Structures are given as C-alpha cells and as structure tokens.
C-alpha cells in the first residue's frame, strides 16, 4: 500500500473529528487489511502498542503530570510570581516579565505547556488586569510564554523524543536550558517594547510592589524558597548523576507532596484523591495516543517511509540550510494541526535518517523539533494553549491568536537562531 494513501486517510479521519488515538490505530491496521501478506496485522499492532508502553523513561511522564498538578493546587506559581515581582515589578514591563520568568520556573516543574498556562495564568492574569494591563495582551502573553513549559527541562516532549529515537533524555534536558532562556528573553524584550509604547498604570503597580516589599525581603524569600528549590532539586538530581529523569520525576512528586501538605499547608490529605484522579484522567488519553503512535511509526518503518522521505528530500534539496528550512516549515505546519506527542513519535523516525545524512546532532534536532511544535501550542486550529488561556479569561481564541502574533514572531526568531547555531543547544551538553 502507498504511504501517501495512508497519510491521506489519516488526515481525512482527523477532518471527520475522529480522535487522534483512534485514527492512529485505524491507519495502523489498514495496510494488512488491504494486503494479507503485509506483516503488520492486527496482532502485530496490538503487540507493538503494549511494547511501546513498556518503557522506563515513559514512566517519568505521569510522575511529572502528577507533580505539576500538586504544585498547581498547592499554589506554587503564586509563590514564584511574588518573588520575581518583588525584584522587578516596578520596572518598565516588570510585571509582564515576572509572568514570563514564572512560566520559565513553572515549566521546570510541570514539563507541560498547557499545565504551565493553567497554573500561571489562573493566578497572574487577574493580577495584571487589576494593575491596568490589557486583558487580551495579558492572556496572549501567558499563552505564548506557557510554551516554555516544554522547552525548559524537565520536558514531556523531550522524554517522548528520547524514547522514540534512543537519544539521552538527560542530555536533551540540558540542551533545552539555553534555548528556553533565549526564547524567554525575547518574549520579555517584546513585553518591554509593548509597555513602552502603550504605557502602564505606575500608581497601581508601585502600590502593589510596595505592599509586597513591606513584608520584607527575608519574609518573601522564606515564603518562596521552597518553590524556588523545586527545579533545583529536580534538575540537580539528574545532572549530578544521583537520579535518572524517571527517578527525578518521582522525587518531584514526593517533594510536591511535602511542601504542599506540611510546609505551605495549601493542601489537605482529603484533597489528594481528587488530584490523583485528575492526574490519571490527564495521562490515560496521552498513554493511548503514545501506544497507537508507536504502532503507527512501526508500520511506517515496514513501509520504508523514512527511507523514501529521506531520499526525496535529499535528492530535491542539496544544501543543509535548505533542508533544515524545509523541515522547520513542515514541523510548524504539523504543530498547527497535530498534538505534540503523536507528531514526535511519527515524525522523528522519519527525519532521523535525513538529519544524520546532513550531519545534524540528534540532540540539537530534538530541540529544533520541540521548539517548532511548541509554537503549535499557540497557532490555530489546534493551539491548545490558546484554548486553555481562553477558558481562564473568556477572551475568544482568535482574539488571543491575533494579539499573540508579535510574540510568536519572537519565538520564530529564536527558532532560527537555535536551528542555525547548534552551540545554543549543545553548549551545556
């Protein structure tokens, strides 16, 4: 069966609003239905799905999801925002910049973009609106900055990419640090420009910062220190060699429980059951998508799709720069119409032969892929971050998307730097 026909069927099923997990399962068995000699029959597909779930690195995903929910319910994002507001809140664009930095730190806890938007946005958006900032701008800023949640380690997409390609998850985490800081800096640069152009209500902002500073430096730091230590503990345990990413994910859950129950006392034992149920409900659909996507990627391998695509691209485009631009454009499109997890599981095996042929480091390419797909979180029609942010404020999705365009441009500028300057991703590796 032609791989082209298979992909047409795939997009047709998506167009009819069939869930992505079911779509992947259907297209995985179609070749064997049309050709009885094709090795990937129904039994093969089911075995591939179960084999794909039998992965130690994959265990980190539900743990980081649970940790992120515990931190969100425990009010950690509020503690982080307070300490950053204390230092820079009264500067030009200080409050919007504090939001971006909070997203950076919270991304180092949750590993998820939508979770970062929900946790940070639910707390910071009302504050910024009360301080006189435009509601649509504030919502768009949180939606775009939330994308940092999948670039700053730990990152669930990096775990999926590492599992799919056999690349070191720990090295991927390290590689995401500088690109995440670069993107965050560019977002803050635009926030500064926006606030210079449109002005700020300095009276309200200064009163808010004064109220915070009246508590005293040590009081604010004491209240926020446990939250600030979270990414240090998670990433420090990985980079020091004490724990693998999966073990660090378990540490993060234990730490989140301790500070939420006994330090901040923002949660009670009776709240835990609902949190565990929420974590299971969040992860179960993702697990089904992962298993179906793994099966589909194996079917594509049997159809020799990676080799065919690699031959087509390398024969059509000879230069490394041209090939990387084509891959970036394709990934940006895919990010607009497909969720991150299936996109990585399906496309990374296809692109690996190409990037190896042109001499791109797999760690570097993992960062390129995840940054591309992170932009998809804020571009319609999928744009998960847009829908999460819209649910928080009631601002229509398309209004947020329009206001987010300059911020997305900053993301794209960072993507070009990351693509063509490998050292940005590899300097710490």
């Amino acid at each position: 069966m032609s791989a082209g026909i298979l992909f047409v069927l795939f997009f047709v099923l998506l167009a009819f609003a069939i869930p992505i997990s079911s779509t992947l399962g259907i297209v995985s068995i179609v070749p064997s239905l049309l050709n009885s000699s094709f090795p990937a029959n129904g039994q093969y597909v089911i075995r591939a799905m179960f084999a794909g779930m039998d992965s130690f690195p994959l265990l980190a995903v539900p743990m980081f999801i649970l940790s992120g929910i515990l931190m969100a319910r425990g009010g950690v994002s509020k503690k982080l925002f307070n300490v950053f507001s204390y230092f820079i809140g009264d500067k030009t664009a200080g409050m919007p910049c504090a939001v971006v930095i909070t997203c950076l730190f919270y991304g180092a806890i949750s590993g998820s973009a939508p979770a970062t938007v929900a946790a940070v946005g639910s707390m910071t958006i009302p504050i910024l609106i009360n301080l006189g900032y435009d509601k649509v701008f504030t919502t768009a800023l949180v939606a775009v900055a939330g994308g940092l949640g999948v670039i700053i380690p730990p990152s669930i997409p990096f775990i999926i990419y590492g599992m799919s390609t056999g690349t070191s998850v720990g090295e991927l985490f390290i590689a995401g640090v500088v690109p995440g800081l670069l993107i965050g800096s560019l977002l803050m640069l635009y926030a500064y420009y926006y606030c210079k152009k449109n002005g700020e209500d300095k009276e309200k902002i200064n009163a808010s910062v004064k109220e915070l500073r009246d508590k005293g430096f040590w009081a604010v730091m004491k209240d926020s220190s446990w939250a600030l230590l979270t990414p240090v503990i998670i990433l420090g345990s990985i980079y020091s060699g004490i724990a693998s990413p999966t073990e660090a994910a378990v540490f993060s859950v234990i730490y989140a429980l301790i500070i939420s129950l006994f330090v901040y006392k923002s949660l009670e034992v009776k709240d835990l059951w609902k949190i565990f149920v929420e974590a299971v409900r969040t992860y179960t659909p993702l697990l089904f998508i992962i298993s179906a996507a793994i099966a589909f990627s194996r079917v594509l391998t049997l159809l020799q799709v990676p080799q065919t695509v690699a031959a087509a691209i390398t024969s059509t485009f000879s230069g490394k720069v041209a090939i990387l631009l084509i891959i970036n454009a394709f990934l940006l499109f895919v990010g607009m119409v497909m969720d991150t997890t299936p996109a990585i599981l399906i496309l990374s095996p296809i692109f690996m032969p190409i990037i190896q042929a042109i001499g791109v480091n797999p760690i570097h390419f993992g960062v390129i892929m995840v940054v591309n797909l992170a932009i998809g979180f804020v571009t319609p029609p999928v744009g998960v971050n847009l829908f999460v942010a819209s649910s928080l404020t009631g601002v229509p999705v398309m209004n947020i998307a329009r206001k987010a365009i300059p911020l997305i441009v900053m993301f794209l500028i960072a993507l070009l730097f990351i693509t063509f300057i490998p050292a940005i991703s590899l300097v710490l590796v």
Side-chain angles (χ1 to χ4, degrees):
M1 179 183 182
S2 167
I5 296 174
L6 200 63
F7 277 105
V8 169
L9 176 62
F10 175 79
F11 286 109
V12 167
L13 291 173
L14 288 181
F16 279 98
I18 295 184
I20 182 72
S21 53
S22 301
T23 297
L24 289 166
I26 291 169
V27 295
S28 296
I29 62 172
V30 165
S32 65
L33 295 177
L34 298 179
N35 181 4
S36 58
S37 64
F38 189 72
N41 55 23
Q43 291 180 341
Y44 176 94
V45 169
I46 292 171
R47 284 199 302 269
M49 291 174 70
F50 278 99
M53 290 185 288
D54 184 16
S55 168
F56 183 70
L58 189 59
L59 289 174
V61 177
M63 291 297 101
F64 280 128
I65 289 174
L66 176 57
S67 174
I69 295 173
L70 285 167
M71 294 288 187
R73 298 293 178 270
V76 169
S77 57
K78 173 67 174 173
K79 311 293 183 183
L80 293 171
F81 182 72
N82 281 347
V83 72
F84 303 135
S85 300
Y86 180 94
F87 288 107
I88 65 171
D90 58 349
K91 311 299 182 186
T92 301
M95 286 299 187
C97 288
V99 170
V100 175
I101 300 172
T102 303
C103 286
L104 279 167
F105 267 77
Y106 195 84
I109 296 170
S110 71
S112 165
T116 301
V117 174
V120 177
S122 60
M123 182 274 303
T124 60
I125 291 175
I127 293 175
L128 263 65
I129 291 173
N130 289 337
L131 292 176
Y133 290 97
D134 178 68
K135 185 178 183 180
V136 184
F137 165 73
T138 303
T139 307
L141 178 67
V142 173
V144 177
L148 295 168
V150 297
I151 300 167
I152 287 290
S155 160
I156 291 174
F158 279 150
I159 296 171
I160 302 299
Y161 176 85
M163 182 190 72
S164 176
T165 62
T167 309
S168 167
V169 174
E171 290 186 352
L172 286 166
F173 281 1
I174 296 173
V177 174
V178 177
L181 295 175
L182 171 63
I183 296 167
S185 299
L186 289 176
L187 294 180
M188 287 188 280
L189 181 64
Y190 174 74
Y192 179 85
Y193 164 78
Y194 177 90
C195 292
K196 269 289 189 182
K197 179 182 176 183
N198 296 280
E200 299 173 276
D201 191 334
K202 284 297 184 182
E203 185 177 339
K204 286 184 178 180
I205 294 169
N206 290 335
S208 176
V209 174
K210 183 179 182 302
E211 181 182 345
L212 195 59
R213 290 178 176 172
D214 284 344
K215 295 179 181 179
F217 172 77
W218 291 113
V220 173
M221 287 302 297
K222 181 181 177 182
D223 191 40
S224 306
S225 60
W226 292 96
L228 291 169
L229 278 174
T230 307
V232 175
I233 291 173
I234 296 172
L235 301 179
S237 64
I238 296 173
Y239 301 152
S240 64
I242 295 173
S244 69
T246 301
E247 292 163 341
V250 177
F251 290 164
S252 74
V253 172
I254 296 170
Y255 184 75
L257 282 169
I258 291 172
I259 66 171
S260 297
L261 289 173
F262 305 114
V263 179
Y264 293 136
K265 297 180 181 179
S266 50
L267 290 178
E268 296 180 7
V269 174
K270 65 180 181 180
D271 299 323
L272 296 182
W273 176 253
K274 290 182 180 179
I275 290 173
F276 292 151
V277 169
E278 183 181 352
V280 170
R281 286 178 174 171
T282 301
Y283 179 61
T284 302
L286 180 61
L287 184 61
F288 191 14
I289 292 172
I290 291 171
S291 60
I294 289 172
F296 182 54
S297 66
R298 294 189 181 181
V299 170
L300 294 179
T301 301
L302 290 171
L303 290 170
Q304 296 189 322
V305 172
Q307 295 88 338
T308 303
V309 173
I313 291 179
T314 53
S315 63
T316 306
F317 304 95
S318 56
K320 181 178 178 178
V321 172
I323 291 174
L324 285 173
L325 286 173
I326 291 297
I327 290 176
N328 273 325
F330 183 74
L331 287 172
L332 286 170
F333 169 75
V334 169
M336 293 171 63
V337 298
M338 189 185 299
D339 193 40
T340 305
T341 298
I344 291 173
L345 289 169
I346 293 169
L347 296 176
S348 54
I350 293 176
F351 286 134
M352 283 303 287
I354 301 172
I355 64 110
Q356 288 171 345
I358 61 175
V360 175
N361 188 299
I363 299 289
H364 177 209
F365 182 70
V367 176
I368 293 172
M369 175 174 266
V370 170
V371 171
N372 270 288
L373 297 175
I375 295 172
F377 280 112
V378 284
T379 50
V382 176
V384 178
N385 283 14
L386 296 176
F387 289 96
V388 174
S390 177
S391 70
L392 296 175
T393 61
V395 177
V397 168
M398 292 311 298
N399 289 1
I400 302 173
R402 280 193 289 270
K403 202 74 171 181
I405 289 174
L407 293 161
I408 294 171
V409 169
M410 304 308 282
F411 230 114
L412 290 170
I413 292 171
L415 173 61
L416 288 175
F417 280 111
I418 292 164
T419 300
F420 297 110
I421 307 177
I424 293 174
S425 302
L426 303 178
V427 64
L428 298 180
V429 179

